[in-house]
Amino acid sequence: MRLVSLAPSATATLVAMGAADELVGVTHHCDLSDAAVAPERVGGWLNTDLDAVAALDPDLVLTSDPLQRDTRDDLRERGLEVYHAEPETLDDAVDGFAALGRAVDHAAAGERLAADARERLRRVREAVADEPRPTVYCEEWADPPMAAGNWVPEAVDAAGGAYPFADPGERSGEVSREEVAAADPEYVILHPCGKGDRADPDEFRERDWGLDAEIHVVDDSLLNQPSPNLLAGVERLAGILHGIDEPAD
């Protein structure tokens, strides 16, 4: 198939299932640094060059998240086939690996990816089952401060933490200093969208929120992206909270 991915999560999932060579177009936000042949870049996640997408004559265009609904609709109006996903929970994200595999004619690879993800989650949960559960604040955006939602509450839970800032499946939302201070988190996880692992803990400290918490930076692709990278994010959190980097069988 000739695939165009406008969602970094879809791109990462295709790479994990061994279908990256079918990508003819991706956004500037998609990581294909190890690709043998680089597909054409067709703009950003929310400012895609739709003419460039159409010129690639794709069999299928991949979009994700409510923020890409307008892009999805514009592409369909142009007569292009679009596969659109809006995972909200951790289960949605994992089930989405198999669903994407079916959409791109790699059903077996997608099922294997989903099964592997479930096994990795099982191993982490088992490894932290008897550990104390510290309170964790995960920040997806800094200005204004936004507590991460969607699958992040479940990712924290799977890694052995408590997350009082959002329910599973709830969208990320603005949070106040008072709300965070009242929860008294023992860990602060910074993973602002688009920053990779370049968030600055000192900028958080300069807010003077009065927290007695360890501050850690996690690459945003490991927590913000509903791709197989999310499993590495759960494992990273387990390492931060409990010193468990690679849960044993």
Side-chain angles (χ1 to χ4, degrees):
M1 297 182 74
R2 292 177 59 83
L3 302 174
V4 171
S5 175
L6 305 183
S9 58
T11 302
T13 305
L14 290 174
V15 170
M17 68 174 66
D21 59 346
E22 297 180 29
L23 285 164
V24 295
V26 295
T27 72
H28 295 303
H29 307 290
C30 294
D31 182 8
L32 280 168
S33 54
D34 297 329
V37 179
E40 184 173 332
R41 300 285 176 168
V42 294
W45 187 54
L46 296 178
N47 58 344
T48 305
D49 184 342
L50 301 187
D51 290 333
V53 173
L56 291 171
D57 191 26
D59 296 310
L60 189 65
V61 183
L62 310 174
T63 58
S64 182
D65 196 86
L67 293 176
Q68 283 197 315
R69 287 175 184 170
D70 288 345
T71 299
R72 171 201 64 190
D73 294 344
D74 289 344
L75 290 166
R76 286 175 174 168
E77 287 179 6
R78 290 169 176 253
L80 297 174
E81 291 292 325
V82 181
Y83 175 81
H84 183 79
E86 292 189 12
E88 296 179 342
T89 65
L90 189 56
D91 279 344
D92 289 345
V94 172
D95 290 344
F97 305 159
L100 180 58
R102 291 190 294 271
V104 299
D105 293 340
H106 287 277
E111 291 288 352
R112 285 194 298 270
L113 206 56
D116 177 69
R118 295 186 186 100
E119 174 60 16
R120 289 170 70 179
L121 286 170
R122 183 198 66 77
R123 291 173 60 193
V124 174
R125 288 187 174 115
E126 184 176 90
V128 303
D130 297 325
E131 299 289 340
R133 303 185 73 83
T135 299
V136 182
Y137 168 60
C138 293
E139 187 168 281
E140 184 179 300
W141 194 250
D143 187 18
M146 296 183 70
N150 297 315
W151 44 82
V152 170
E154 293 163 288
V156 172
D157 179 77
Y163 193 76
F165 302 100
D167 293 325
E170 184 180 349
R171 296 288 286 180
S172 302
E174 189 171 346
V175 67
S176 69
R177 177 188 66 81
E178 291 79 13
E179 290 174 291
V180 177
D184 192 22
E186 296 165 67
Y187 293 88
V188 170
I189 307 297
L190 305 179
H191 54 106
C193 287
K195 289 280 191 176
D197 60 358
R198 301 184 303 278
D200 186 353
D202 286 338
E203 291 183 1
F204 184 87
R205 295 187 183 99
E206 288 168 2
R207 297 180 196 167
D208 195 24
W209 277 11
L211 303 180
D212 183 19
E214 289 187 21
I215 302 174
H216 296 265
V217 174
V218 173
D219 192 302
D220 72 294
S221 69
L222 300 186
L223 289 177
N224 300 348
Q225 191 182 97
S227 77
N229 291 334
L230 183 55
L231 284 306
V234 173
E235 291 162 352
R236 174 72 192 284
L237 288 177
I240 291 171
L241 304 183
H242 302 294
I244 300 168
D245 295 313
E246 295 184 7
D249 289 323

